[in-house]
Structure formats: C-alpha cells, structure tokens
Amino acid sequence: MDERKSISVVVPVFNEEESLWELIRRCLAVCRGLGKPFELVLVNDGSSDGSAEIITHAAAKNPGDLVGVLLNRNYGQHAAIMAGFEASRGDMVVTLDADLQNPPEELPKLVEKLEAGADVVGSIRVPRQDNAFRRVSSWIINRVTARATGVSMRDYGCMLRGYSRQIVAAMLQCHERSTFIPVLANSFAHTTAEVEVEHARRAAGGSKYGLWKLINLQFDLLTSMTTFPLRLLSVLGACMSLLGVGFGLMILIMRLVYGSEWAAQGVFTLFAILFMFVGAQFVAMGLLGEYIGRIYYDVRARPRYFVHEVVGSSRLAAESKAGRLKGEGRKV
Ligand code: UDP
Ligand code: MG
C-alpha cells in the first residue's frame, strides 16, 4: 500500500454562499489530517450569488491546496463534477456536496476503502434526512439502477463517493451530454465498496433541485442506462395487434352464431380493425426506436472497454512490430 497516494476532493457548488466558507474550512482540515498530498477542487456551476467570489478568494488564500473551476453558466451537478474531474490530478478522487449534508469528516472512510483497492466507493446515508417524497423516489431509483447496471449499491443518490484515477479517466472519455455519474462509474467498476455515512439536514438554503430538475435527472439516469423503454413500444404494439386479431376472430364467431345484429352493424368489426392498425403503428414506432437507440449509443462513442493491466508479452506482437519496421525501411 502506497502511503503517498494523492487525493482530489471535488465539490460542485451552485448558490451555496451561506455554507461555502464552513465547507472549505472543514474540508481543508480533514484533508490536512489525512497526511497525504491533496487538492480541493471547487467547481462553481454558474452560481448567481457570491459563491464564485468566495471560491476565488479562498483559492488565493490557500495556494497549492485549493483549485477553483468556474463554469460560465449552470450546467447541472453532474456536468460540474465532470469539470472537476477534468481539473483533478489525484490518484483517488472523492466527490462531495457543498451543502454540508454529507459531513466532510466522513472522507477518511472512503479514502480507506479506495486504498484497500476499491475502484468505486459509494456511501449509504444513515439516517437519511430528507422528506418522504425524496426517500420514496430514491428507493425506486436505487432498485431500478441496481438492476440495469448489474452493480448492486444501496444508495445511488448520495454523492459522497470515491473513485480511483482509472475510473475517473474512463468517465472523462465519455462525451455524452447527459450523464449520471454514479451509474457511469459503476459501468466501468470492477471492485466496489460501500460505507455508511452520516447525513445532516441542509445547513442553509433550500435544495437546488426543483421538481423539473429532478424529473430531468431521472430521465438522464434512465436514458444513460438503457434503451429498454423504446423496445417497450414494440412489445406494446405487438400485444395490441394480437388483441385486435383476437377481437376480430371473436366478432366473426359471435356473428356466425348470433347473426348480423349482434355485431352492431359492423361497428365492432371496425374497432377490431382499428386495434390492429394502432398496434401496427406502435410496432413501427418501436422499430424506429430501436434504430434511434442504436444511433444514440454510437453517437455517444463510448469506449467499449478498458484494459486494466497487460501482463506477459507476445512474440507475435513483437514480430509484427519488427516486420512493420522492416517494411517501412524498404519503402524508404
Ligand atoms: N448543484 C450544482 N448544480 C446544480 C444543482 C446542484 O452544482 O444545478 C450542487 C449543489 O451546490 C450541491 C449539490 O449539487 O453541492 C447537491 O445539490 P442539493 O443539495 O441541492 O441536492 P439534494 O441534496 O437536494 O439532492
Ligand atoms: Mg443536498
């Protein structure tokens, strides 16, 4: 275990001027206590209050320890964290919310797990200090996310998280605009760990997530994970078409048995035909969806895999390299 592994702490900041000074003070105190090289990266996500000035001021006061990344407008929490990742240089990167709901004093727990070899360290908020609506929606999201990523973590919403440099580098190579970092990280993670952390009520101000921003985030989460909803359209359409065919058959039989009055002079038959067409339309839409889904995956151009390490050496590789060199020599 290398005692001198360095740490970057990345914090997205959006209109948090009330708690910012305390956050900086507590983070720096914890980092200094770790006895390792560290940097605190504060990303101002286009705040309209005095957060940017505070960050600039604090960076001047703590040269070497604090880096401020100031974004020109509000891009959202996850984009801000990405900007922080880009600026970070540590061997281990820990993210944290600026509102002090995750106490910075819990940082060493995450660092310990990262040092023990985990790629991604999540945290579980106990006891969680949010309202019932947020808790229930989180519960659903955690179940769905665990299923879709195949990595079971109990709390995807908590942003007090740690990542190895390798995972951060992998995430930085993903250029899609809407990202949900915990899911993205887990899609590259090999070993994950979780620690229980304290959760406090917001120290100052209100949540920066209104209803609309929250809905937006859930869609980012869903579409970043899977194109399954698109496929659902085809399945739905096929079911409707089958239902229409069944309906038509039923009407035919009933008509043969009870005579033409039964079918209300053909109105029911029309319904049956309508059902079939509507179903067919859904199938077609679903099919389009499948294509769009694939285009979506390609446009994102995510790297397909990451090599952790290469061991041994191949004679073939060495020979082909030598051959290539000889070939080049002839050409010259
Ligand atoms: N945040 C951000 N950009 C945004 C919204 C939020 O950088 O557009 C930051 C915010 O400053 C905080 C963190 O993301 O550090 C979490 O936000 P908040 O505490 O409002 O979310 P909640 O705790 O309600 O989930
Ligand atoms: Mg919060």
Side-chain angles (χ1 to χ4, degrees), residues 271-318:
F271 267 108
I273 293 170
L274 191 74
F275 255 67
M276 274 190 270
F277 274 105
V278 171
Q281 267 174 6
F282 268 87
V283 174
M285 263 184 351
L287 206 64
L288 280 179
E290 291 285 329
Y291 282 104
I292 295 171
R294 276 161 185 72
I295 294 168
Y296 177 53
Y297 273 117
D298 280 352
V299 164
R300 287 197 299 190
R302 276 197 195 180
R304 220 160 282 126
Y305 54 79
F306 276 90
V307 179
H308 174 61
E309 199 185 346
V310 179
V311 290
S313 58
S314 148
R315 196 173 299 120
L316 280 181

Side-chain angles (χ1 to χ4, degrees), residues 97 99 101 202:
D97 280 354
D99 56 2
Q101 281 192 282
R202 223 176 198 288

